[in-house]
Amino acid sequence: MAKRALITGITGQDGSYLAELLLNQGYEVIGLMRRSSTVNIERISHIQERLTLVSGDLMDEVSLINVLRDYRPSEVYNLAAQSFVQASWAQPVLTGEATALGVTRMLDAIRIVDPEIRFYQASSSEMFGKVRTVPQDESTSLYPRSPYGVAKVYGHWITVNYRESYGLHASSGILFNHESPRRGLEFVTRKVTHGVARIKAGLGGPIHLGNLDAHRDWGYAADYVRAMWAMLQRDVPDDYVVATGQTHSVRELCEVAFNAAGLNYEDHVVIDPAFIRPAEVDLLVDDATKAHEQLGWKCEVDFYGLVEMMVAADIDALAR
């Protein structure tokens, strides 16, 4: 019998890559979607026929219980969240409801319906925030610097709490930034690569950015979903940092992206105070040794390959 997995946030970047991975492994894939006036399934349109999309909401525990009862998945991947850090300043309560309490509702639904279900929680490097030690691994203390980061800390610890209190197979992946051609336009990597494609095509002027000296560890999303799956195949649940181990500045991101299109970033990038965060995250440098050793996971696409892939995809999309 085919394994069955439920993915929340299936219409997002990670959800779409994870759905592809699971389908290729022979899973039946159930995707949880909120009812909304505009349903955006662009990222999963190419596999939509192979998915079962169901209505449910992390704000509503009864809907989660019903979906679990109706479909009986053996694995649940909780990728849904209000996931944009900048927006969490404008909508801190909504961010807490979805990104923090939503995790509790899902864990509780699993506890009620079938405690044997294996659960994956999408934790985030934003939890480290104002870092206490460099590099950061699974035992580094947390000091989030945004409402999003604070909500992710709650989601992370409630996952640990249900694992220890109820014996659930619940694991968290502490993922550092991961990008792809499917990244939303509001995220800095895609903002840059899409901007480069528009400038190259003569369609748009400068790109407005905040702190060019902010450093991040950027990996490829399709690599990172393999780690999520690997966590739920282990006998014992645990938490894992997933990252490339290399950091790059936003300035470097601009250099590589503009170079890929034969342009000079200094001619097209404007520093805009509107994009400087109220509290900036310090240098995040990961230590993903545990994921390498226990999950046998490694990333296959490096920073340069990733940025060049994204620029090429955006140029191609505009040409079409």
Side-chain angles (χ1 to χ4, degrees):
M1 198 176 105
K3 272 182 149 178
R4 190 176 290 160
L6 174 70
I7 302 175
T8 74
I10 194 165
T11 59
Q13 167 186 261
D14 294 8
S16 67
Y17 283 113
L18 179 62
E20 286 174 350
L21 174 74
L22 295 178
L23 288 170
N24 290 338
Q25 304 261 20
Y27 280 71
E28 273 181 56
V29 178
I30 317 296
L32 190 77
M33 288 178 59
R34 278 180 312 181
R35 285 202 183 282
S36 68
S37 50
T38 55
V39 178
N40 179 10
I41 56 166
E42 184 188 343
R43 294 186 183 95
I44 52 169
S45 56
H46 63 296
I47 50 172
Q48 193 186 341
E49 300 300 310
R50 300 166 64 197
L51 304 170
T52 303
L53 298 177
V54 299
S55 181
D57 199 314
L58 289 179
M59 305 286 196
D60 182 358
E61 188 172 330
V62 173
S63 73
L64 304 179
I65 289 171
N66 287 335
V67 168
L68 293 179
R69 279 195 177 136
D70 290 347
Y71 292 95
R72 294 287 173 172
S74 57
E75 298 174 0
V76 170
Y77 295 86
N78 184 41
L79 310 185
Q82 190 300 100
S83 65
F84 186 42
V85 175
Q86 198 75 30
S88 76
W89 298 102
Q91 300 180 309
V93 176
L94 176 74
T95 300
E97 281 287 351
T99 306
L101 291 175
V103 186
T104 313
R105 294 186 193 104
M106 182 60 90
L107 284 165
D108 217 42
I110 288 170
R111 180 181 67 83
I112 291 165
V113 175
D114 179 5
E116 293 301 303
I117 291 171
R118 296 188 172 199
F119 176 78
Y120 172 82
Q121 167 58 11
S123 287
S124 167
S125 60
E126 290 287 330
M127 302 190 308
F128 295 124
K130 191 178 173 71
V131 299
R132 319 309 287 157
T133 52
V134 177
Q136 294 93 49
D137 63 16
E138 294 77 10
S139 61
T140 301
S141 60
L142 308 174
Y143 195 143
R145 298 276 278 169
S146 66
Y148 170 76
V150 173
K152 278 291 184 187
V153 170
Y154 177 97
H156 181 76
W157 281 115
I158 201 72
T159 300
V160 173
N161 190 258
Y162 269 65
R163 176 168 78 213
E164 294 178 353
S165 305
Y166 301 114
L168 297 187
H169 192 299
S171 295
S172 278
I174 305 170
L175 272 55
F176 279 64
N177 296 54
H178 46 289
E179 320 293 314
S180 75
R182 300 179 195 171
R183 193 56 144 151
L185 290 170
E186 69 272 23
F187 292 88
V188 69
T189 47
R190 185 75 198 292
K191 183 175 173 179
V192 169
T193 63
H194 184 255
V196 166
R198 287 183 60 80
I199 291 165
K200 182 76 174 169
L203 294 172
I207 302 175
H208 290 250
L209 297 172
N211 178 11
L212 292 192
D213 296 313
H215 280 69
R216 292 289 183 276
D217 180 327
W218 284 296
Y220 178 38
D223 282 340
Y224 285 38
V225 300
R226 286 189 286 105
M228 300 176 184
W229 175 78
M231 286 175 216
L232 297 202
Q233 310 320 304
R234 284 183 63 80
D235 294 337
V236 179
D238 207 345
D239 307 322
Y240 294 90
V241 164
V242 178
T244 72
Q246 307 285 322
T247 62
H248 300 272
S249 66
V250 176
R251 190 182 307 280
E252 231 180 316
L253 165 67
C254 292
E255 280 173 4
V256 176
F258 278 94
N259 284 348
L263 299 166
N264 180 356
Y265 85 95
E266 289 171 326
D267 301 334
H268 303 283
V269 171
V270 175
I271 306 295
D272 187 336
F275 293 107
I276 305 284
R277 291 180 182 176
E280 181 55 86
V281 166
D282 294 340
L283 180 57
L284 294 175
V285 185
D286 66 277
D287 178 357
T289 305
K290 186 172 163 185
H292 299 319
E293 290 178 353
Q294 294 188 12
L295 304 177
W297 177 84
K298 59 181 194 294
C299 47
E300 290 169 4
V301 176
D302 70 4
F303 171 76
Y304 303 99
L306 171 66
V307 177
E308 286 162 8
M309 173 205 305
M310 291 175 67
V311 171
D314 277 326
I315 289 174
D316 185 51
L318 273 184
R320 282 205 306 275

